[in-house]
Amino acid sequence: MAKFVLAGRADCPYYAKAELLADYLQKNLPDFHIHKITQHPHVWEEWLKDLCEKNKWSHKNSPIIWRELLDRGGEGLLLGGYNEFLEYAQLYHGVTSSMTTELMKIIAQENLETHIEKELEEEARKDLINPLQVWITSASVPACYNLIPILTSGEVFGMHTEISLNLFDNKEAEENLRSVVAETQDLVAPLLQSISICTRVEDAFLQAHVVIILDDSTDREVYTLEGCIRSRLPLCRLYGYLIQKNAHDSVRVIVGGKTFVNLKTVLLMRYAPNVAHNIVAVALGVEGQAKAVLARKLRTTPSCIKNVIIWGNISGNNYIDLRKAKVYRYESAIWGPPNYSRSVLSLIFDSEWVNRQYVATLRKLTATGKQFRPILAAHSIATTLKYWYHGSPPGEIVSLGVLSEGQFGIPEGIVFSMPVKFENGTWVVLTDLTDIEISEQIMTRMTSDLIQEKLIALGDLVSFQPYQSETDLAKGYEKTTLPTTYNNQENQRVSDAVDFLDPIPQTISEKPHSQELINDSGDKTVEERQIN
């Protein structure tokens, strides 16, 4: 019995021609058997080199054909390429090939498409067998404790996707992590295949499919804002290097927390450039709080409010945009079907509340850390991941911190919260939205902080200069700068000499009804550095 192995590059016309000839011989000759190996063009050369080194052959082109002397295993005898195989078929079996060049190319393209489909199917099968590797950094912080039950419920990754949780933190947190592991195992979650602890830096993010970056739990005192910003660089540089080295090629990295979220995200992108397109910052916490305040004013539920857009620095100077905001199922004299909505701004007749009290309320919540308490932080991360894997609700605008490519006039190279939608396993910036132009003063106020944070972290700028518009300067407006104590476990900067709710300079609004809201939040790297 003659057993041949035919291997080639998926898009090779001569492999297609040899394959057709081999199929004919196998069909018409009872003792002729062929085994085919198709390789993707990207891996073909390396695969061929390894094969030839192993068998001590010399062959450089596609296809390669050899004869196996035994049905399974055993030493192989190299026949050669397409020409040698055609010569063998003519001499021993009186068969030749009359395939045209055009047909060869068509079949080669079909082979490539089929091979790619098979690879995708194989990946899908592996995903069903191998669990999704989810890594959580700073896993001893409370947000992780609240996040784990959501991740293991099947709501985020799907009811048929098993996951393996890996809790990463420093050695000092190991005892706390063991308690978390024990409680998680008590959940008896059907989709949780395993949960483990990692305190060795070199082992972090091994084969990670998802990496969740939480606030660093290490306590330290930093007495200047610039020092606080620079302190973010070493850890982000380390995480970026480890993600690029150890994680899966298609890893998805999601950055949460309540301090320097945009900065941490852009630094991770810098030090993990191969996966930079899959690193995002969570803005749904800010968005959720903004909706909740509106819901209390309108006496409805926050889930009925959609399309509130968060622009700018997620944990800093951001801008709450209500121009696209809608409320559904609102109890009023006007009723409609479930998909009927009304503009939020058309229902709030108190422009003074929108201009001042609404903004001040959000500032106060952010300043005291209430905006980013563990339950909200965990839910925001889980919801963002859910949208990333399964798509956001059709027609709904979602806020997400992504790397700017110049959209909406935002400077390139900074991470900026902007409107997106999730679909087909990725996110798309909604650049086609109309009537969402941002005034130059508001844009400059937000981007100035983000640019300075990045430059200070990288050592290209010495000190942070709070943005002051011409109007501010004309009024003699000064922002108080005080030494701050930063406790990263509590995630608060403490100042004992500033009234956080002092009136803020009003931004220029081109709309008569405060359709542009600026949130100069104090728990943000901004600017005032004022937190009660």
Side-chain angles (χ1 to χ4, degrees):
M1 181 177 67
K3 182 178 180 181
F4 288 85
V5 180
L6 169 63
R9 204 177 63 239
D11 62 346
C12 174
Y14 289 99
Y15 174 69
K17 195 170 185 178
E19 183 183 28
L20 189 63
L21 178 58
D23 287 342
Y24 178 84
L25 293 174
Q26 182 170 253
K27 182 178 179 182
N28 292 277
L29 300 174
D31 292 330
F32 184 93
H33 294 275
I34 187 74
H35 174 66
K36 289 177 279 189
I37 301 174
T38 308
Q39 294 291 344
H40 195 282
H42 293 164
V43 302
W44 164 253
E45 290 187 4
E46 190 68 26
W47 183 86
L48 179 62
K49 180 181 177 182
D50 292 342
L51 176 70
C52 291
E53 287 180 356
K54 177 182 177 181
N55 293 281
K56 297 181 174 57
W57 294 338
S58 177
H59 191 85
K60 297 182 179 180
N61 301 318
S62 172
I64 180 172
I65 302 104
W66 69 92
R67 182 173 180 176
E68 290 193 353
L69 303 182
L70 299 175
D71 287 348
R72 293 182 180 275
E75 187 178 352
L77 180 64
L78 178 65
L79 180 62
Y82 169 73
N83 290 333
E84 289 78 12
F85 184 55
L86 180 61
E87 183 178 348
Y88 166 84
Q90 290 173 338
L91 289 176
Y92 287 91
H93 305 291
V95 177
T96 187
S97 174
S98 58
M99 183 185 293
T100 64
T101 302
E102 190 65 30
L103 184 57
M104 288 167 57
K105 293 180 179 179
I106 292 174
I107 295 178
Q109 182 61 34
E110 291 176 351
N111 281 345
L112 178 59
E113 293 172 359
T114 302
H115 181 72
I116 293 174
E117 288 178 5
K118 287 183 178 179
E119 284 186 332
L120 293 175
E121 290 174 1
E122 184 64 24
E123 286 293 327
R125 281 195 294 269
K126 287 181 180 179
D127 289 341
L128 294 175
I129 299 172
N130 300 324
L132 196 71
Q133 296 291 332
V134 180
W135 284 76
I136 305 176
T137 71
S138 304
S140 59
V141 301
C144 176
Y145 192 84
N146 290 273
L147 181 60
I148 288 175
I150 308 176
L151 296 179
T152 58
S153 68
E155 179 184 349
V156 176
F157 303 111
M159 298 305 298
H160 301 289
T161 302
E162 292 189 347
I163 68 171
S164 177
L165 285 177
N166 303 273
L167 309 183
F168 178 51
D169 212 324
N170 54 51
K171 190 69 175 178
E172 291 73 17
E174 188 168 359
E175 185 175 346
N176 289 337
L177 294 182
R178 294 192 185 282
S179 298
V180 174
V181 168
E183 285 198 58
T184 303
Q185 290 170 336
D186 292 343
L187 293 175
V188 197
L191 297 177
L192 180 63
Q193 189 175 105
S194 65
I195 180 169
S196 62
I197 295 171
C198 178
T199 57
R200 286 168 48 90
V201 172
E202 57 270 27
D203 295 336
F205 314 130
L206 284 173
Q207 297 302 311
H209 296 100
V210 175
V211 175
I212 301 171
I213 307 291
L214 300 178
D215 277 322
D216 181 14
S217 59
T218 304
D219 293 339
R220 60 176 174 272
E221 289 187 349
V222 183
Y223 290 96
T224 65
L225 175 61
E226 292 79 7
C228 198
I229 292 172
R230 294 189 188 100
S231 70
R232 292 295 177 274
L233 180 66
L235 193 60
C236 290
R237 181 168 51 201
L238 175 64
Y239 282 177
Y241 167 76
L242 292 171
I243 289 170
Q244 180 135 315
K245 177 185 176 185
N246 295 341
H248 195 275
D249 292 340
S250 60
V251 63
R252 303 181 188 191
V253 182
I254 187 164
V255 183
K258 58 183 177 181
T259 55
F260 303 100
V261 175
N262 295 55
L263 175 63
K264 291 187 290 187
T265 306
V266 78
L267 291 177
L268 285 171
M269 291 176 176
R270 180 182 180 90
Y271 295 108
N274 290 351
V275 296
H277 61 286
N278 266 359
I279 304 177
V280 300
V282 178
L284 289 185
V286 184
E287 184 179 315
Q289 190 67 68
K291 290 177 179 178
V293 176
L294 288 171
R296 286 193 288 271
K297 177 67 175 178
L298 294 172
R299 297 183 180 180
T300 185
T301 57
S303 62
C304 292
I305 298 176
K306 310 291 183 183
N307 299 347
V308 173
I309 303 175
I310 309 301
W311 298 90
N313 193 346
I314 296 165
S315 54
N317 195 358
N318 54 49
Y319 155 59
I320 314 296
D321 191 344
L322 303 182
R323 288 172 291 182
K324 297 293 182 182
K326 297 179 180 180
V327 58
Y328 293 79
R329 302 190 301 276
Y330 185 64
E331 294 186 11
S332 66
I334 303 175
W335 283 80
N339 61 349
Y340 174 74
S341 65
R342 300 178 66 184
S343 168
V344 166
L345 289 176
S346 69
L347 296 172
I348 300 178
F349 302 102
D350 186 355
S351 61
E352 184 68 15
W353 182 87
V354 176
N355 278 323
R356 291 187 176 274
Q357 189 175 343
Y358 179 55
V359 175
T361 301
L362 292 175
R363 290 178 62 198
K364 183 178 180 180
L365 289 171
T366 305
T368 56
K370 292 180 180 179
Q371 184 171 8
F372 295 98
R373 281 180 172 172
I375 294 177
L376 178 59
H379 183 266
S380 302
I381 291 170
T383 303
T384 303
L385 277 172
K386 176 184 176 181
Y387 289 168
W388 203 346
Y389 273 85
H390 304 291
S392 53
E396 188 170 322
I397 299 173
V398 179
S399 300
L400 186 71
V402 300
L403 187 66
S404 170
E405 297 178 352
Q407 307 98 323
F408 309 107
I410 302 166
E412 296 183 16
I414 59 174
V415 169
F416 201 89
S417 178
M418 60 183 77
V420 306
K421 66 177 178 180
F422 288 91
E423 60 181 6
N424 301 322
T426 187
W427 47 266
V428 179
V429 178
L430 297 176
T431 55
D432 57 346
L433 291 177
T434 58
D435 300 325
I436 58 168
E437 293 78 12
I438 303 174
S439 69
E440 183 179 352
Q441 180 182 342
I442 293 176
M443 180 65 75
T444 304
R445 184 184 293 272
M446 292 186 291
T447 58
S448 171
D449 299 332
L450 292 171
I451 293 171
Q452 287 189 78
E453 285 181 6
K454 180 179 177 181
L455 292 176
I456 290 172
L458 296 174
D460 296 329
L461 187 66
V462 176
S463 61
F464 188 94
Q465 298 296 327
Y467 170 78
Q468 286 185 306
S469 67
E470 293 181 3
T471 304
D472 296 337
L473 294 172
K475 292 181 178 179
Y477 176 81
E478 270 187 21
K479 296 188 175 182
T480 307
T481 303
L482 298 176
T484 59
T485 300
Y486 182 77
N487 182 320
N488 198 41
Q489 188 170 20
E490 298 296 328
N491 294 294
Q492 293 180 356
R493 270 168 274 150
V494 181
S495 172
D496 54 8
V498 181
D499 181 1
F500 184 76
L501 293 181
D502 280 344
I504 60 173
Q506 293 302 298
T507 59
I508 298 174
S509 175
E510 300 172 358
K511 305 292 181 182
H513 194 190
S514 181
Q515 296 178 7
E516 299 182 346
L517 306 174
I518 194 78
N519 179 8
D520 283 330
S521 163
D523 185 5
K524 315 190 171 197
T525 67
V526 121
E527 315 123 51
E528 299 163 36
R529 301 171 256 176
Q530 303 168 2
I531 292 191
N532 291 327

